[in-house]
């Protein structure tokens, strides 16, 4: 039996593999990657590598074995048909008879277009008959803290989210939940709504940045239309701009507040505070 992690060299996948290495022998872990050279460090530590691409179904043909536990980390190629890509993995896992397929989805409360691919993938997974776990990941701290350059350049946090709140958490927190599912028992056919312990507003985020930088950083609440223009001006592709603006609209409606406590319960510890993520980002 192997624990198989797709997207293993991605932002979330790396955290998952690192935490798995703390729990199980390296030879029990299979890291699915597109570029083997990016995973040389994992191979050196004894992790099995499997080279496969969501866009090439044949590469998943013999990847899984009966009894495997699989973490399908959602793809990030928004323009290449993510549901079709995910179905490639689900079909291969079903054919092999894996013991569990866990999928990183989006909160059930999220109605933004970003959630559409996730909802459709969930339908494919449930229809497959595979034992499943839906890890409905909320927002990541890093979605903001890894993009501080424009904030610090203009001393302003710009969003079209009004007074909406976000219960985000660190990638490492979501990885801990996934590892708990992959290494534990009793998670078959379960859905977990995952979010940070503390929700925050963008005004509070700006205040935290001000506190840690010693500068006056304000929250500039703009309309969705204005944000669309700002993001388009940075050169982001139009479809991605629409997704980001849609997420802010959902935040204003409270759709990214997840208060189940599932994340800290699965991780076995409190989630990482936003202030801690800000500190790490400013040091970096």
């Amino acid at each position: 039996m192997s624990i198989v992690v797709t997207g293993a060299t991605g932002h979330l996948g790396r955290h998952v593999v690192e935490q798995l290495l703390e729990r199980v022998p390296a030879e029990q872990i299979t890291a699915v990657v597109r570029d083997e050279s990016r995973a040389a460090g994992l191979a050196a530590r004894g992790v099995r590598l499997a080279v496969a691409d969501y866009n090439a179904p044949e590469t998943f043909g013999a990847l899984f074995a009966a009894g495997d536990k699989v973490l399908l980390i959602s793809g990030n190629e928004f323009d290449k048909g993510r549901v079709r890509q995910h179905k490639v993995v689900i079909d291969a896992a079903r054919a092999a008879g894996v013991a569990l397929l866990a999928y990183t989805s989006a909160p059930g409360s999220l109605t933004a277009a970003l959630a559409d691919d996730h909802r459709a993938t969930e339908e494919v997974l449930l229809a497959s008959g595979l034992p499943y776990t839906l890890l409905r990941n909320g927002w990541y701290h890093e979605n903001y803290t890894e993009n501080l350059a424009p904030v610090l350049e203009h001393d302003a946090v710009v969003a079209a989210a009004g007074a909406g709140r976000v219960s985000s958490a660190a990638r490492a927190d979501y990885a801990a939940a996934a590892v708990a599912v992959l290494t534990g028992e009793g998670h078959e056919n379960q859905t977990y709504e995952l979010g940070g312990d503390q929700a925050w507003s963008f005004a509070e985020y700006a205040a935290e940045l001000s506190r840690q930088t010693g500068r006056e950083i304000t929250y500039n609440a703009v309309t969705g239309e204005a944000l669309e223009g700002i993001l388009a001006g940075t050169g982001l592709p139009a479809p991605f701009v629409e997704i980001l603006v849609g997420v802010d609209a959902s935040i204003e409606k409270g759709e990214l507040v997840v208060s189940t406590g599932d994340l800290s319960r699965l991780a076995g510890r409190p989630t990482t505070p936003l202030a801690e993520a800000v500190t790490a980002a400013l040091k970096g």
Side-chain angles (χ1 to χ4, degrees):
M1 189 277 285
S2 188
I3 295 175
V4 186
V5 180
T6 73
T9 54
H11 289 306
L12 179 61
R14 283 189 176 277
H15 282 288
V16 172
V17 175
E18 285 294 334
Q19 293 185 39
L20 279 172
L21 283 165
E22 297 171 5
R23 303 277 288 271
V24 300
E27 60 268 21
Q28 290 182 18
I29 305 168
T30 298
V32 182
V33 299
R34 280 191 296 191
D35 181 353
E36 198 168 358
S37 64
R38 291 185 60 197
L42 295 178
R45 294 164 71 183
V47 174
R48 175 176 170 249
L49 300 186
V51 180
D53 189 325
Y54 293 149
N55 300 304
E58 67 278 5
T59 60
F60 281 92
L63 199 155
F64 304 117
D68 284 351
K69 290 185 176 180
V70 179
L71 177 64
L72 169 54
I73 294 179
S74 57
N76 59 6
E77 295 178 312
F78 295 95
D79 59 337
K80 291 190 176 178
R82 291 198 299 168
V83 180
R84 177 186 53 78
Q85 292 179 330
H86 299 158
K87 188 175 185 299
V88 165
V89 181
I90 293 167
D91 287 349
R94 180 180 58 189
V98 305
L100 181 75
L101 190 143
Y103 171 65
T104 61
S105 191
S109 54
L110 187 65
T111 64
L114 176 67
D116 292 348
D117 285 351
H118 292 298
R119 295 289 92 83
T121 299
E122 289 183 4
E123 290 178 10
V124 172
L125 178 52
L126 268 62
S128 74
L130 280 171
Y132 67 86
T133 307
L134 299 181
L135 296 166
R136 288 180 168 169
N137 288 359
W139 222 222
Y140 301 121
H141 291 332
E142 291 89 346
N143 290 343
Y144 301 106
T145 60
E146 287 184 350
N147 296 288
L148 285 178
V151 173
L152 299 177
E153 182 182 347
H154 301 288
D155 285 333
V157 173
V158 179
R165 303 179 75 79
V166 184
S167 48
S168 62
R171 287 195 189 107
D173 298 331
Y174 293 105
V179 168
V181 166
L182 294 168
T183 60
E185 300 296 332
H187 300 290
E188 292 83 0
N189 306 329
Q190 298 295 314
T191 298
Y192 298 113
E193 299 285 349
L194 305 175
D197 295 335
Q198 298 293 327
W200 51 269
S201 69
F202 285 91
E204 290 167 345
Y205 176 49
E208 182 60 35
L209 287 168
S210 299
R211 186 183 72 80
Q212 293 202 32
T213 61
R215 294 154 59 171
E216 187 176 344
I217 296 174
T218 59
Y219 169 39
N220 184 8
V222 300
T223 64
E225 190 176 30
L227 182 62
E228 196 169 332
I230 291 166
L231 294 175
T234 67
L236 284 175
F240 193 49
V241 168
E242 287 179 25
I243 285 172
L244 294 176
V245 173
V247 166
D248 272 15
S250 284
I251 289 172
E252 185 168 24
K253 291 185 281 188
E255 294 177 4
L256 275 177
V257 174
V258 180
S259 55
T260 60
D262 283 353
L263 181 53
S264 55
R265 195 157 45 246
L266 282 172
R269 57 169 173 74
T271 60
T272 306
L274 178 65
E276 197 174 302
V278 169
T279 302
L282 290 172
K283 281 181 181 175

